[in-house]
Amino acid sequence: MSNLARKSEQPTNGIEMQRLEQLLTMNKRLGDAIAADIAALEHGAFSDLSTTDPEIERLCALYGREVMALKAAGGIKNAPASMIAKLKESGARLKSLLTKHEQLVICMRQASEGLVKAIAEEVEKTRSEAAPYAAAPGAKRTSGGAIVYNKVI
């Protein structure tokens, strides 16, 4: 392979390498935040969720824009093999963390929806019962719908 061909496979300047390094850094920081969230969710420490931090939200938006800009600029095909390997590894880590995070959030949502449904059923049951020791039987109470359960399919 000629030197010219090898040169065209390398990024044309240090700015592109710097962008790839920044992308790796953002990926690592997002992965660390998601890993911290997973630990917080597993321990029930909901106040310790780091992904609710506005700075992490901005970082996530910036990461998305950078990835889209990289794809629009031709992707990573001209990057060195070592950089491509690092990007693939960090992408796989982020994907696995996001999958685990999603599973935990789904479990939490299902549990909280189950609690709301159980409370709503209990309130409805309590309100529909007649008062057993009333002096004069009155009209049966109807549900005011204090808790509305909305089942989303």
Side-chain angles (χ1 to χ4, degrees), residues 13-124:
N13 57 34
I15 294 173
E16 290 179 23
M17 282 301 292
Q18 186 178 9
R19 283 183 72 189
L20 294 176
E21 290 291 340
Q22 287 174 344
L23 198 62
L24 278 173
T25 302
M26 284 190 279
N27 187 308
K28 182 182 181 330
R29 190 155 174 229
L30 286 172
D32 292 347
I34 293 168
D37 271 13
I38 290 170
L41 288 171
E42 288 175 339
H43 292 96
F46 305 111
S47 61
D48 295 340
L49 296 176
S50 59
T51 54
T52 58
D53 182 7
E55 182 181 339
I56 298 297
E57 290 175 6
R58 285 190 298 271
L59 180 65
C60 192
L62 177 63
Y63 180 76
R65 284 192 301 268
E66 286 295 319
V67 168
M68 294 305 291
L70 181 65
K71 285 181 180 181
I76 59 173
K77 61 185 173 199
N78 293 333
S82 62
M83 178 59 73
I84 291 173
K86 287 179 188 177
L87 288 166
K88 285 182 178 181
E89 181 183 327
S90 66
R93 176 182 178 253
L94 188 61
K95 185 176 179 177
S96 70
L97 287 169
L98 285 170
T99 301
K100 186 169 184 177
H101 189 271
E102 178 186 27
Q103 291 169 347
L104 284 170
V105 169
I106 287 170
C107 288
M108 297 290 177
R109 189 193 76 205
Q110 289 173 343
S112 64
E113 286 175 354
L115 284 172
V116 169
K117 184 178 179 185
I119 291 169
E121 288 171 353
E122 187 63 29
V123 167
E124 188 65 34

Side-chain angles (χ1 to χ4, degrees), residues 1-9:
M1 187 184 280
S2 70
N3 284 340
L4 182 60
R6 278 192 210 118
K7 207 173 201 182
S8 68
E9 291 178 2

